[in-house]
Amino acid sequence: MDDSRNAHGLVQWHGTTIIGVKKGGKTVIAGDGQVSMGNTVMKPNARKVRRIGEGGPDKGKVIAGFAGATADAFTLFDRLEKKLEQHRGQLMRAAVEMAKDWRTDKYLRNLEALMIVADADVLLVLTGNGDVLEPEGGVAAIGSGGNYALSAARALDAYEDDAEKIARAAMAVAAEVCVFTNDRVTLETI
């Protein structure tokens, strides 16, 4: 039985669902609002999806969602914003450079989070293992309800042309199936 503890024996803030859908010239990232600790819902309306780079010359041209530890995710958002500034808004290059740092830096290596990031050109999943993955078919999902949302989105893809409708329907499925996911969705579009 999983008691939701990490390697250090601390109770973890558990679960979320984040989905990214790229279709028809539109990219959407959506996430639920539930924050759980063990079997308790601590917060039902957290915002796990946001625009980044709003202060720089790219002014919100990148959207991102995270699953994992909140403080770790905010650290990663800040790092990605800095990499975007260094690489003039080129998301792919900034993501690769951040993933290198995340894997090799002693401090960053301990961060427990996954990210989905996107701009008008690419949709990527970033991991602490140094992975920068561009998902096949333009759909990616992470978190405890990620597989449910991914399956639903892939099933809907052949029948629906609107990325936002696919993301919202996939999130609804995940919220019904995953106990660590709720139906309070935050959604950003590029």
Side-chain angles (χ1 to χ4, degrees):
M1 184 169 142
D2 177 21
D3 68 356
S4 300
R5 293 185 183 271
N6 67 13
H8 307 291
L10 301 172
V11 175
Q12 290 206 293
W13 297 87
H14 189 43
T16 196
T17 302
I18 304 293
I19 188 162
V21 179
K22 184 175 183 60
K23 187 167 187 173
K26 184 160 95 173
T27 302
V28 173
I29 296 179
D32 76 308
Q34 184 169 308
V35 176
S36 304
M37 188 167 85
N39 294 325
T40 305
V41 175
M42 299 300 289
K43 185 174 182 175
N45 60 348
R47 191 166 181 261
K48 304 170 195 171
V49 175
R50 62 191 60 224
R51 290 186 177 276
I52 60 174
E54 301 214 85
D58 298 308
K59 298 213 192 278
K61 292 182 181 176
V62 174
I63 53 178
F66 72 89
T70 305
D72 294 354
F74 287 143
T75 299
L76 294 169
F77 282 155
D78 288 343
R79 289 286 181 130
L80 183 57
E81 281 182 325
K82 288 176 183 162
K83 293 293 182 185
L84 283 166
E85 288 173 18
Q86 288 175 0
H87 298 288
R88 298 186 182 141
Q90 297 175 36
L91 179 58
M92 181 64 84
R93 184 148 182 227
V96 168
E97 292 302 318
M98 190 189 85
K100 282 185 203 176
D101 290 350
W102 193 357
R103 182 181 170 98
T104 59
D105 183 272
K106 207 177 216 183
Y107 168 73
L108 292 177
R109 199 176 6 199
N110 293 317
L111 299 182
E112 296 180 10
L114 292 170
M115 297 176 70
I116 295 179
V117 297
D119 64 9
D121 300 318
V122 296
L123 173 69
L124 304 168
V125 176
L126 308 180
T127 76
N129 293 330
D131 299 319
V132 177
L133 307 168
E134 191 168 4
E136 187 175 336
V139 179
I142 57 175
S144 59
N147 287 336
Y148 306 119
L150 180 64
S151 297
R154 285 189 176 166
L156 289 167
D157 187 58
Y159 305 102
E160 179 58 60
D161 290 329
D162 186 285
E164 183 174 337
K165 287 181 181 178
I166 292 171
R168 287 191 184 279
M171 289 300 296
V173 169
E176 287 181 18
V177 179
C178 178
V179 296
F180 297 109
T181 301
N182 71 11
D183 61 358
R184 296 192 187 174
V185 174
T186 302
L187 187 134
E188 290 285 350
T189 304
I190 291 282

